[in-house]
Amino acid sequence: MELDGAAAGSLLACDVAVVGAGPAGLMAAERLAQTGLSVRVFEAKPSAARKFLMAGKGGLNLTHSEAFEAFVGRYGQRSADLQPWLERWGAQQLCDWVRGLGFDTFVGTSGRVFPSDMKAAPLLRAWLLRLKALGVHFHMRHRWLGWSADGLPLLRSETGEVRVRCRALVLATGGGSWARLGSDGAWVGLLQGRGVDVAPLQAANCGFDVRGGWSPVFVQRFAGQPFKSVALRFVDDRGQEFFRQGEFVATQTGVEGSLIYAVSSLLRDCIARQGQARVELDLLPQWSAERVCAEVLRPRGSRSLSSHLKGRLGIDGIKAGLLYEVLGRQGMDDAERLAAGIKALPVTVVAPRPMDEAISTAGGVRLEALDARGMCKALPGVFCAGEMLDWEAPTGGYLLTACLSSGVHVAAGVAEYLE
């Protein structure tokens, strides 16, 4: 695909300039170009949607098939704010859009929706070709620097600074995770300096360090291994309760994975208030406490405790390792403590992993700083979309759906503003 540079000089012109070639920016560009507006997309990296491609390496999770009310509820405190976006353009519209690009979708056993070939790259290629056909101009290796002395959007290219004369500016610069892919949060100071209210960026969908760290033996034997078919219960200091069955992984310093990501916002906020957060793990969620206790108390004769746990309860490997790690030898020899630990094993986490390791970020431009069209109240003609906004969601397709939906919402807002 031919990409436009700044060969025409240090001044470019268009109806709408879009900064950021991730899902939100590309969707805004598509919708705006479809109305006949001239659109230029500026991206700091050499290619578009790098985080989108990385997220799709293990299978591109597009959205989720659950009922709309439950779907909207995944956005927590921002559910009411995002509901109008998702009513206009949500999971069904996303699937229709994917089919319009020539790809079928299917629903997995977990309810998550994927493209038929599971891959992100072919979908992105088809999307970029559509955008080019609509007349969208792409400018790669163009980093947004703010505004020039004469008030025009200012970018730095490989050949020098470029100003853009446009009627509207759409910012879709991402959050603050995976900086190597383009989301580095450098825009925060630029907007705050112009009076835009920005909530501090924080890690979301992230792993956590456990109190005191794992023992060297546990790290050597189990770091990187998954806990399968477990349930996690957490009640924070404000009484909010989380309970879900799923999987997660032991890391060198703690825990991460889908079940941890689902509760990460509660854990993060509790740690910020209390300095730590304690979860309880049910290692046999399909068993009643009474059955577990009966099997633990059953005489084991000459068999070792490890053999007894494996033979009678199916507990071995990383689950048995975690029991020893938390309860210690003395606790393992106490049948009642062991039985209670199998059904409610306490694990205390004390810090989220660094933001750049997180799948996404919370915080960003507060929605209250925008009008109903998605335009900054402090900056007429400047709109914001995607993960740089102050909302968060768990993995499972909710992040991508809301980013794309925000692009649709902002494009409608820009069109209304320009009218």
Short mmCIF file of all heavy atoms in Angstrom, two decimals, residues 155-211:
data_model
loop_
_atom_site.label_atom_id
_atom_site.label_comp_id
_atom_site.label_asym_id
_atom_site.label_seq_id
_atom_site.Cartn_x
_atom_site.Cartn_y
_atom_site.Cartn_z
N LEU A 155 3.15 17.68 14.00
CA LEU A 155 3.70 16.33 14.05
C LEU A 155 5.16 16.34 13.61
O LEU A 155 5.59 17.24 12.88
CB LEU A 155 2.90 15.37 13.15
CG LEU A 155 1.42 15.25 13.51
CD1 LEU A 155 0.58 16.00 12.50
CD2 LEU A 155 0.99 13.79 13.62
N ARG A 156 5.90 15.35 14.07
CA ARG A 156 7.29 15.21 13.67
C ARG A 156 7.43 13.98 12.79
O ARG A 156 7.09 12.86 13.19
CB ARG A 156 8.21 15.08 14.88
CG ARG A 156 9.70 14.98 14.49
CD ARG A 156 10.62 14.88 15.69
NE ARG A 156 10.38 13.67 16.46
CZ ARG A 156 9.93 13.66 17.71
NH1 ARG A 156 9.64 14.80 18.32
NH2 ARG A 156 9.75 12.52 18.35
N SER A 157 7.92 14.18 11.58
CA SER A 157 8.16 13.08 10.66
C SER A 157 9.65 12.85 10.54
O SER A 157 10.47 13.54 11.18
CB SER A 157 7.57 13.40 9.28
OG SER A 157 8.37 14.39 8.63
N GLU A 158 10.04 11.89 9.72
CA GLU A 158 11.47 11.61 9.53
C GLU A 158 12.18 12.75 8.80
O GLU A 158 13.40 12.87 8.88
CB GLU A 158 11.63 10.31 8.74
CG GLU A 158 11.21 9.08 9.51
CD GLU A 158 11.40 7.81 8.72
OE1 GLU A 158 10.91 7.75 7.57
OE2 GLU A 158 12.05 6.88 9.24
N THR A 159 11.41 13.58 8.11
CA THR A 159 12.02 14.67 7.34
C THR A 159 11.81 16.03 7.98
O THR A 159 12.21 17.05 7.41
CB THR A 159 11.44 14.69 5.92
OG1 THR A 159 10.01 14.82 5.99
CG2 THR A 159 11.79 13.41 5.18
N GLY A 160 11.18 16.08 9.15
CA GLY A 160 10.98 17.35 9.82
C GLY A 160 9.58 17.50 10.35
O GLY A 160 8.76 16.58 10.31
N GLU A 161 9.28 18.69 10.86
CA GLU A 161 7.97 18.94 11.45
C GLU A 161 6.93 19.21 10.37
O GLU A 161 7.22 19.82 9.33
CB GLU A 161 8.05 20.12 12.42
CG GLU A 161 8.85 19.80 13.68
CD GLU A 161 8.83 20.91 14.69
OE1 GLU A 161 8.37 22.03 14.35
OE2 GLU A 161 9.26 20.68 15.84
N VAL A 162 5.71 18.75 10.65
CA VAL A 162 4.60 18.89 9.72
C VAL A 162 3.42 19.49 10.45
O VAL A 162 3.05 19.03 11.54
CB VAL A 162 4.19 17.51 9.14
CG1 VAL A 162 3.01 17.66 8.19
CG2 VAL A 162 5.36 16.85 8.44
N ARG A 163 2.84 20.53 9.88
CA ARG A 163 1.61 21.11 10.41
C ARG A 163 0.44 20.64 9.56
O ARG A 163 0.60 20.38 8.36
CB ARG A 163 1.68 22.64 10.40
CG ARG A 163 2.72 23.22 11.34
CD ARG A 163 2.78 24.74 11.20
NE ARG A 163 3.12 25.13 9.84
CZ ARG A 163 2.57 26.15 9.19
NH1 ARG A 163 1.64 26.88 9.77
NH2 ARG A 163 2.94 26.44 7.96
N VAL A 164 -0.73 20.55 10.18
CA VAL A 164 -1.91 20.07 9.48
C VAL A 164 -3.03 21.08 9.63
O VAL A 164 -3.47 21.38 10.75
CB VAL A 164 -2.38 18.69 10.02
CG1 VAL A 164 -3.56 18.18 9.19
CG2 VAL A 164 -1.23 17.69 10.00
N ARG A 165 -3.49 21.57 8.49
CA ARG A 165 -4.64 22.47 8.51
C ARG A 165 -5.90 21.62 8.33
O ARG A 165 -6.12 21.05 7.26
CB ARG A 165 -4.54 23.51 7.39
CG ARG A 165 -5.59 24.63 7.50
CD ARG A 165 -5.42 25.68 6.41
NE ARG A 165 -4.10 26.29 6.46
CZ ARG A 165 -3.77 27.26 7.32
NH1 ARG A 165 -4.65 27.69 8.21
NH2 ARG A 165 -2.55 27.77 7.29
N CYS A 166 -6.68 21.49 9.39
CA CYS A 166 -7.86 20.63 9.35
C CYS A 166 -9.03 21.30 10.04
O CYS A 166 -8.84 22.21 10.86
CB CYS A 166 -7.56 19.28 9.99
SG CYS A 166 -6.97 19.37 11.70
N ARG A 167 -10.21 20.82 9.75
CA ARG A 167 -11.41 21.37 10.36
C ARG A 167 -11.74 20.68 11.68
O ARG A 167 -12.47 21.21 12.50
CB ARG A 167 -12.58 21.25 9.39
CG ARG A 167 -12.36 22.00 8.08
CD ARG A 167 -13.37 21.61 7.04
NE ARG A 167 -14.73 21.89 7.47
CZ ARG A 167 -15.82 21.32 6.96
NH1 ARG A 167 -15.69 20.41 5.99
NH2 ARG A 167 -17.01 21.64 7.40
N ALA A 168 -11.22 19.47 11.86
CA ALA A 168 -11.42 18.72 13.11
C ALA A 168 -10.24 17.79 13.32
O ALA A 168 -9.65 17.29 12.35
CB ALA A 168 -12.73 17.94 13.09
N LEU A 169 -9.91 17.54 14.57
CA LEU A 169 -8.80 16.66 14.94
C LEU A 169 -9.35 15.54 15.82
O LEU A 169 -9.99 15.81 16.84
CB LEU A 169 -7.73 17.44 15.70
CG LEU A 169 -6.57 16.64 16.31
CD1 LEU A 169 -5.72 15.99 15.21
CD2 LEU A 169 -5.70 17.54 17.20
N VAL A 170 -9.12 14.30 15.42
CA VAL A 170 -9.52 13.13 16.22
C VAL A 170 -8.26 12.51 16.81
O VAL A 170 -7.36 12.09 16.07
CB VAL A 170 -10.27 12.09 15.36
CG1 VAL A 170 -10.54 10.82 16.19
CG2 VAL A 170 -11.58 12.65 14.84
N LEU A 171 -8.20 12.43 18.12
CA LEU A 171 -7.10 11.80 18.82
C LEU A 171 -7.51 10.40 19.25
O LEU A 171 -8.51 10.23 19.95
CB LEU A 171 -6.69 12.62 20.04
CG LEU A 171 -6.23 14.06 19.77
CD1 LEU A 171 -5.96 14.78 21.09
CD2 LEU A 171 -4.98 14.07 18.88
N ALA A 172 -6.76 9.42 18.80
CA ALA A 172 -7.01 8.02 19.17
C ALA A 172 -5.65 7.38 19.41
O ALA A 172 -5.23 6.46 18.71
CB ALA A 172 -7.77 7.30 18.07
N THR A 173 -4.95 7.91 20.40
CA THR A 173 -3.53 7.60 20.61
C THR A 173 -3.27 6.43 21.56
O THR A 173 -2.13 6.15 21.89
CB THR A 173 -2.81 8.85 21.15
OG1 THR A 173 -3.49 9.32 22.31
CG2 THR A 173 -2.81 9.95 20.12
N GLY A 174 -4.33 5.76 22.02
CA GLY A 174 -4.14 4.61 22.89
C GLY A 174 -3.88 5.02 24.33
O GLY A 174 -3.84 6.20 24.67
N GLY A 175 -3.72 4.01 25.18
CA GLY A 175 -3.48 4.27 26.60
C GLY A 175 -2.00 4.34 26.91
O GLY A 175 -1.26 5.04 26.23
N GLY A 176 -1.56 3.57 27.90
CA GLY A 176 -0.17 3.63 28.30
C GLY A 176 0.50 2.29 28.44
O GLY A 176 1.55 2.18 29.08
N SER A 177 -0.09 1.23 27.85
CA SER A 177 0.52 -0.09 27.95
C SER A 177 1.11 -0.49 26.60
O SER A 177 0.65 -0.04 25.55
CB SER A 177 -0.51 -1.14 28.39
OG SER A 177 -1.52 -1.29 27.42
N TRP A 178 2.13 -1.34 26.64
CA TRP A 178 2.81 -1.81 25.44
C TRP A 178 3.35 -0.64 24.63
O TRP A 178 3.06 -0.48 23.44
CB TRP A 178 1.88 -2.67 24.57
CG TRP A 178 1.43 -3.94 25.22
CD1 TRP A 178 1.61 -4.29 26.53
CD2 TRP A 178 0.73 -5.02 24.61
NE1 TRP A 178 1.05 -5.52 26.77
CE2 TRP A 178 0.50 -5.99 25.61
CE3 TRP A 178 0.27 -5.26 23.32
CZ2 TRP A 178 -0.16 -7.17 25.36
CZ3 TRP A 178 -0.40 -6.45 23.07
CH2 TRP A 178 -0.59 -7.39 24.07
N ALA A 179 4.17 0.17 25.28
CA ALA A 179 4.71 1.38 24.64
C ALA A 179 5.45 1.05 23.35
O ALA A 179 5.44 1.84 22.40
CB ALA A 179 5.63 2.11 25.61
N ARG A 180 6.09 -0.10 23.29
CA ARG A 180 6.86 -0.46 22.09
C ARG A 180 5.95 -0.58 20.87
O ARG A 180 6.43 -0.51 19.73
CB ARG A 180 7.61 -1.76 22.32
CG ARG A 180 6.72 -2.99 22.43
CD ARG A 180 7.52 -4.22 22.86
NE ARG A 180 6.73 -5.43 22.88
CZ ARG A 180 5.89 -5.77 23.85
NH1 ARG A 180 5.73 -4.96 24.90
NH2 ARG A 180 5.22 -6.90 23.80
N LEU A 181 4.66 -0.75 21.09
CA LEU A 181 3.72 -0.85 19.98
C LEU A 181 3.01 0.46 19.70
O LEU A 181 2.19 0.53 18.78
CB LEU A 181 2.68 -1.96 20.26
CG LEU A 181 3.27 -3.35 20.53
CD1 LEU A 181 2.16 -4.35 20.81
CD2 LEU A 181 4.12 -3.82 19.35
N GLY A 182 3.31 1.49 20.49
CA GLY A 182 2.77 2.81 20.19
C GLY A 182 1.97 3.47 21.28
O GLY A 182 1.79 4.69 21.26
N SER A 183 1.46 2.70 22.24
CA SER A 183 0.64 3.28 23.31
C SER A 183 1.54 3.65 24.49
O SER A 183 1.75 2.85 25.39
CB SER A 183 -0.44 2.29 23.76
OG SER A 183 -1.32 1.99 22.71
N ASP A 184 2.08 4.86 24.46
CA ASP A 184 3.05 5.25 25.49
C ASP A 184 2.55 6.33 26.43
O ASP A 184 3.27 6.75 27.34
CB ASP A 184 4.35 5.70 24.83
CG ASP A 184 4.16 6.87 23.86
OD1 ASP A 184 3.08 7.47 23.85
OD2 ASP A 184 5.11 7.16 23.10
N GLY A 185 1.33 6.83 26.23
CA GLY A 185 0.77 7.82 27.14
C GLY A 185 1.42 9.19 27.05
O GLY A 185 1.17 10.05 27.90
N ALA A 186 2.23 9.44 26.00
CA ALA A 186 2.93 10.72 25.89
C ALA A 186 1.97 11.90 25.69
O ALA A 186 2.34 13.05 25.91
CB ALA A 186 3.94 10.66 24.75
N TRP A 187 0.75 11.60 25.30
CA TRP A 187 -0.25 12.64 25.02
C TRP A 187 -0.81 13.27 26.29
O TRP A 187 -1.44 14.33 26.23
CB TRP A 187 -1.39 12.03 24.22
CG TRP A 187 -1.96 10.79 24.84
CD1 TRP A 187 -1.59 9.51 24.61
CD2 TRP A 187 -2.97 10.73 25.86
NE1 TRP A 187 -2.31 8.63 25.40
CE2 TRP A 187 -3.15 9.36 26.17
CE3 TRP A 187 -3.73 11.69 26.52
CZ2 TRP A 187 -4.09 8.95 27.13
CZ3 TRP A 187 -4.65 11.27 27.47
CH2 TRP A 187 -4.82 9.92 27.77
N VAL A 188 -0.64 12.62 27.44
CA VAL A 188 -1.28 13.09 28.67
C VAL A 188 -0.93 14.53 28.97
O VAL A 188 -1.80 15.39 29.18
CB VAL A 188 -0.92 12.17 29.86
CG1 VAL A 188 -1.43 12.78 31.17
CG2 VAL A 188 -1.52 10.78 29.68
N GLY A 189 0.36 14.84 29.00
CA GLY A 189 0.79 16.20 29.31
C GLY A 189 0.33 17.21 28.28
O GLY A 189 0.03 18.37 28.63
N LEU A 190 0.27 16.79 27.01
CA LEU A 190 -0.16 17.71 25.95
C LEU A 190 -1.59 18.17 26.17
O LEU A 190 -1.92 19.36 26.01
CB LEU A 190 -0.02 17.04 24.58
CG LEU A 190 1.40 16.67 24.15
CD1 LEU A 190 1.37 15.88 22.85
CD2 LEU A 190 2.25 17.91 23.99
N LEU A 191 -2.47 17.25 26.55
CA LEU A 191 -3.87 17.61 26.77
C LEU A 191 -4.07 18.32 28.10
O LEU A 191 -4.84 19.28 28.20
CB LEU A 191 -4.75 16.37 26.68
CG LEU A 191 -4.87 15.74 25.29
CD1 LEU A 191 -5.85 14.57 25.31
CD2 LEU A 191 -5.33 16.77 24.26
N GLN A 192 -3.39 17.86 29.13
CA GLN A 192 -3.51 18.54 30.42
C GLN A 192 -3.05 19.99 30.31
O GLN A 192 -3.63 20.89 30.92
CB GLN A 192 -2.69 17.81 31.48
CG GLN A 192 -3.32 16.50 31.94
CD GLN A 192 -2.48 15.78 32.98
OE1 GLN A 192 -1.25 15.84 32.94
NE2 GLN A 192 -3.13 15.08 33.90
N GLY A 193 -2.02 20.22 29.51
CA GLY A 193 -1.53 21.58 29.32
C GLY A 193 -2.51 22.49 28.62
O GLY A 193 -2.38 23.72 28.68
N ARG A 194 -3.51 21.88 27.97
CA ARG A 194 -4.55 22.65 27.29
C ARG A 194 -5.86 22.65 28.07
O ARG A 194 -6.90 23.02 27.54
CB ARG A 194 -4.79 22.06 25.90
CG ARG A 194 -3.60 22.26 24.95
CD ARG A 194 -3.65 23.65 24.32
NE ARG A 194 -2.52 23.93 23.46
CZ ARG A 194 -2.59 24.63 22.33
NH1 ARG A 194 -3.76 25.09 21.93
NH2 ARG A 194 -1.51 24.87 21.62
N GLY A 195 -5.80 22.21 29.32
CA GLY A 195 -6.98 22.29 30.17
C GLY A 195 -7.92 21.11 30.10
O GLY A 195 -9.05 21.18 30.62
N VAL A 196 -7.49 20.00 29.49
CA VAL A 196 -8.34 18.80 29.41
C VAL A 196 -8.10 17.96 30.66
O VAL A 196 -6.96 17.66 31.02
CB VAL A 196 -8.03 17.99 28.14
CG1 VAL A 196 -8.89 16.73 28.10
CG2 VAL A 196 -8.27 18.83 26.90
N ASP A 197 -9.17 17.55 31.33
CA ASP A 197 -9.08 16.77 32.56
C ASP A 197 -8.76 15.32 32.23
O ASP A 197 -9.53 14.64 31.54
CB ASP A 197 -10.40 16.87 33.32
CG ASP A 197 -10.29 16.33 34.75
OD1 ASP A 197 -9.16 16.02 35.17
OD2 ASP A 197 -11.33 16.24 35.42
N VAL A 198 -7.62 14.85 32.72
CA VAL A 198 -7.16 13.49 32.45
C VAL A 198 -6.96 12.74 33.76
O VAL A 198 -6.22 13.20 34.64
CB VAL A 198 -5.83 13.49 31.65
CG1 VAL A 198 -5.36 12.07 31.38
CG2 VAL A 198 -5.99 14.26 30.34
N ALA A 199 -7.62 11.60 33.91
CA ALA A 199 -7.42 10.75 35.09
C ALA A 199 -6.09 10.01 34.92
O ALA A 199 -5.73 9.60 33.81
CB ALA A 199 -8.56 9.75 35.22
N PRO A 200 -5.33 9.83 36.01
CA PRO A 200 -4.03 9.14 35.90
C PRO A 200 -4.17 7.76 35.26
O PRO A 200 -5.11 7.01 35.56
CB PRO A 200 -3.57 9.03 37.36
CG PRO A 200 -4.30 10.13 38.07
CD PRO A 200 -5.62 10.26 37.39
N LEU A 201 -3.25 7.42 34.38
CA LEU A 201 -3.25 6.11 33.76
C LEU A 201 -2.81 5.05 34.77
O LEU A 201 -1.90 5.27 35.56
CB LEU A 201 -2.32 6.09 32.56
CG LEU A 201 -2.68 7.00 31.38
CD1 LEU A 201 -1.63 6.88 30.28
CD2 LEU A 201 -4.07 6.68 30.84
N GLN A 202 -3.48 3.89 34.73
CA GLN A 202 -3.16 2.78 35.62
C GLN A 202 -3.23 1.48 34.84
O GLN A 202 -3.93 1.37 33.84
CB GLN A 202 -4.17 2.69 36.77
CG GLN A 202 -4.32 3.92 37.63
CD GLN A 202 -5.35 3.69 38.71
OE1 GLN A 202 -5.09 3.02 39.70
NE2 GLN A 202 -6.54 4.22 38.53
N ALA A 203 -2.51 0.48 35.33
CA ALA A 203 -2.55 -0.83 34.70
C ALA A 203 -3.94 -1.44 34.83
O ALA A 203 -4.58 -1.34 35.88
CB ALA A 203 -1.51 -1.75 35.34
N ALA A 204 -4.40 -2.07 33.78
CA ALA A 204 -5.67 -2.81 33.78
C ALA A 204 -5.43 -4.14 33.06
O ALA A 204 -4.54 -4.24 32.21
CB ALA A 204 -6.78 -2.02 33.10
N ASN A 205 -6.23 -5.15 33.39
CA ASN A 205 -6.01 -6.48 32.82
C ASN A 205 -4.54 -6.87 32.98
O ASN A 205 -3.83 -7.13 32.00
CB ASN A 205 -6.44 -6.52 31.35
CG ASN A 205 -7.94 -6.40 31.19
OD1 ASN A 205 -8.69 -7.25 31.65
ND2 ASN A 205 -8.39 -5.34 30.56
N CYS A 206 -4.11 -6.87 34.23
CA CYS A 206 -2.69 -7.04 34.53
C CYS A 206 -2.48 -8.16 35.53
O CYS A 206 -3.41 -8.64 36.18
CB CYS A 206 -2.12 -5.74 35.10
SG CYS A 206 -2.97 -5.16 36.59
N GLY A 207 -1.23 -8.57 35.66
CA GLY A 207 -0.84 -9.53 36.69
C GLY A 207 -0.52 -8.81 37.99
O GLY A 207 -0.46 -7.58 38.06
N PHE A 208 -0.28 -9.61 39.04
CA PHE A 208 0.00 -9.06 40.37
C PHE A 208 1.13 -9.84 41.03
O PHE A 208 1.31 -11.03 40.79
CB PHE A 208 -1.24 -9.12 41.26
CG PHE A 208 -2.34 -8.19 40.84
CD1 PHE A 208 -3.24 -8.57 39.85
CD2 PHE A 208 -2.46 -6.93 41.40
CE1 PHE A 208 -4.25 -7.71 39.43
CE2 PHE A 208 -3.46 -6.06 40.99
CZ PHE A 208 -4.36 -6.45 40.01
N ASP A 209 1.88 -9.13 41.88
CA ASP A 209 2.90 -9.76 42.70
C ASP A 209 2.28 -10.25 44.01
O ASP A 209 1.47 -9.53 44.61
CB ASP A 209 4.02 -8.78 43.02
CG ASP A 209 4.80 -8.35 41.79
OD1 ASP A 209 4.81 -9.11 40.80
OD2 ASP A 209 5.39 -7.25 41.82
N VAL A 210 2.66 -11.44 44.45
CA VAL A 210 2.16 -11.96 45.71
C VAL A 210 3.03 -11.47 46.85
O VAL A 210 4.22 -11.15 46.67
CB VAL A 210 2.08 -13.50 45.73
CG1 VAL A 210 1.13 -14.00 44.66
CG2 VAL A 210 3.48 -14.10 45.55
N ARG A 211 2.44 -11.39 48.02
CA ARG A 211 3.17 -10.92 49.21
C ARG A 211 4.34 -11.85 49.51
O ARG A 211 4.18 -13.06 49.63
CB ARG A 211 2.23 -10.85 50.41
CG ARG A 211 2.88 -10.27 51.67
CD ARG A 211 1.87 -10.14 52.79
NE ARG A 211 1.33 -11.44 53.17
CZ ARG A 211 0.28 -11.60 53.99
NH1 ARG A 211 -0.32 -10.53 54.50
NH2 ARG A 211 -0.15 -12.81 54.29
#
